[in-house]
Amino acid sequence: MSDSESDFEPDAKKAKTETDDDEEEAAPAPPPSALTMPATVFNGKPPIFEPAKSGRAACKVCGTVIEKGAARVGLPIYQSGRTVTAWIKAACFAEALTVAVASDNRSKCKASGDKISKGDLRVVARIASSTELAEGGDGKGKVFYKPSAIVPFLTEWMAEAEKEAKDIPGFDELPDAAQSEFLAL
């Protein structure tokens, strides 16, 4: 062991230089524990409605290219270990969309982070090809939304797609009270 190693004192103060302030440096604060850390702020992922920025994305429903400038819907999905946006042509989105009453307490609104309780009205967007959707499959997954959390998106999409609330699949199967609630949005 060399002399420099044996003389090491972890609590020794470093020598001050002319550029150092007159005050002593404070010891670094310990890392915060999980109990003292502030709660994580929810960063919602509402659906996106916009004109295509390029002609490279393919529609997840029909599989064809979404031309530059064409209206498209973007849904957040978890793929390859990260969140990405799945793009769907605005015209094809009606195939992927349903409105229903929640049958359980296991879903959460992707836009607001609020729990969707059993009996609550919810909009379900399924990310799948036309064939999978026709067969009742969910393909790459489902995204749940409380209709009240995505009113601006629904309004804009329905105007572009020339759809009304009652045209969304599942509307006819809703109880009368849920139909009235959905139409009131």
Side-chain angles (χ1 to χ4, degrees), residues 149-172:
I150 59 169
V151 169
F153 163 79
L154 284 174
T155 304
E156 196 173 1
W157 171 73
M158 287 190 293
E160 175 70 27
E162 298 178 354
K163 301 277 184 193
E164 293 182 23
K166 58 187 172 191
D167 296 332
I168 296 176
F171 179 83
D172 294 333

Side-chain angles (χ1 to χ4, degrees), residues 31-51:
S33 71
L35 298 175
T36 61
M37 292 181 71
T40 304
V41 176
F42 178 76
N43 187 11
K45 301 282 184 190
I48 301 165
F49 185 75
E50 67 179 20

Side-chain angles (χ1 to χ4, degrees), residues 8-164:
F8 175 74
E9 294 180 37
D11 293 332
K13 294 181 183 174
K14 69 176 188 171
K16 289 192 176 238
T17 63
E18 290 178 21
T19 58
D20 287 340
D21 294 329
D22 290 335
E23 298 176 16
E24 293 182 20
E25 288 185 32
S33 71
L35 298 175
T36 61
M37 292 181 71
T40 304
V41 176
F42 178 76
N43 187 11
K45 301 282 184 190
I48 301 165
F49 185 75
E50 67 179 20
K53 295 177 183 173
S54 70
R56 297 181 313 216
C59 175
K60 296 296 183 213
V61 173
C62 69
T64 61
V65 172
I66 303 171
E67 298 297 325
K68 183 176 181 176
R72 67 181 181 177
V73 173
L75 298 172
I77 62 169
Y78 192 72
Q79 182 178 344
S80 303
R82 61 191 177 119
T83 302
V84 297
T85 302
W87 295 107
I88 302 170
K89 289 181 180 179
C92 296
F93 187 60
E95 290 180 55
L97 193 65
T98 57
V99 61
V101 173
S103 59
D104 56 42
N105 290 320
R106 297 182 297 161
S107 55
K108 187 182 206 182
C109 177
K110 195 71 159 178
S112 67
D114 295 338
K115 180 180 178 182
I116 300 174
S117 300
K118 183 176 182 176
D120 286 353
L121 190 59
R122 70 180 178 187
V123 173
V124 183
R126 299 172 295 155
I127 294 90
S129 69
S130 294
T131 307
E132 291 170 320
L133 291 170
E135 294 171 355
D138 294 326
K140 293 179 173 65
K142 295 186 244 183
V143 182
F144 300 103
Y145 294 103
K146 282 190 167 190
S148 59
I150 59 169
V151 169
F153 163 79
L154 284 174
T155 304
E156 196 173 1
W157 171 73
M158 287 190 293
E160 175 70 27
E162 298 178 354
K163 301 277 184 193
E164 293 182 23

